[in-house]
Amino acid sequence: MGLTKRELAVVAETHQYSYIVWIKKAEGGFWRVEIHLGDKDRVYEIDTTRGVPKGWRQLSDAIIFVQENCKHPKDIFVEVGEWVLTKKE
């Protein structure tokens, strides 16, 4: 189950400072963005308008997408192998 860019905008607005963003490497060498919501830790990937998970070939492109579309998250993490990097306020 995923979120389109339009649905992500609604989540970003209605859940300010309470959702968590993860950027992770997926199969095939693509980077995926996950949105974690609520106490039950609901996880949503970003989907294309066709309903398939969106992937970015370059990490920098995924980060730019998050910067432009994920306003006011609680936390942002980037998982690179065994490392987990976080955005610092």
Side-chain angles (χ1 to χ4, degrees):
M1 179 181 220
L3 301 170
T4 63
K5 190 174 174 182
R6 179 177 286 162
E7 292 166 336
L8 176 59
V10 172
V11 167
E13 183 64 30
T14 58
H15 294 278
Q16 290 186 16
Y17 303 105
S18 64
Y19 68 98
I20 297 171
V21 178
W22 278 84
I23 303 172
K24 297 179 176 182
K25 191 102 176 208
E27 291 180 25
F30 287 91
W31 292 90
R32 303 262 192 236
V33 174
E34 292 180 351
I35 306 298
H36 294 244
L37 282 177
D39 296 335
K40 297 180 182 175
D41 201 30
R42 293 171 289 173
V43 178
Y44 301 94
E45 284 190 328
I46 304 302
D47 282 348
T48 65
T49 54
R50 291 174 282 151
V52 296
K54 174 93 174 116
W56 292 265
R57 195 165 294 282
Q58 300 295 322
L59 174 59
S60 59
D61 293 334
I63 291 171
I64 290 168
F65 176 86
V66 168
Q67 287 175 326
E68 292 174 350
N69 296 283
C70 299
K71 303 297 181 188
H72 311 295
K74 180 179 177 183
D75 289 307
I76 299 174
F77 298 99
V78 178
E79 188 176 298
V80 181
E82 295 179 8
W83 289 17
V84 175
L85 311 171
T86 186
K87 175 185 175 275
K88 184 174 174 134
E89 291 292 325

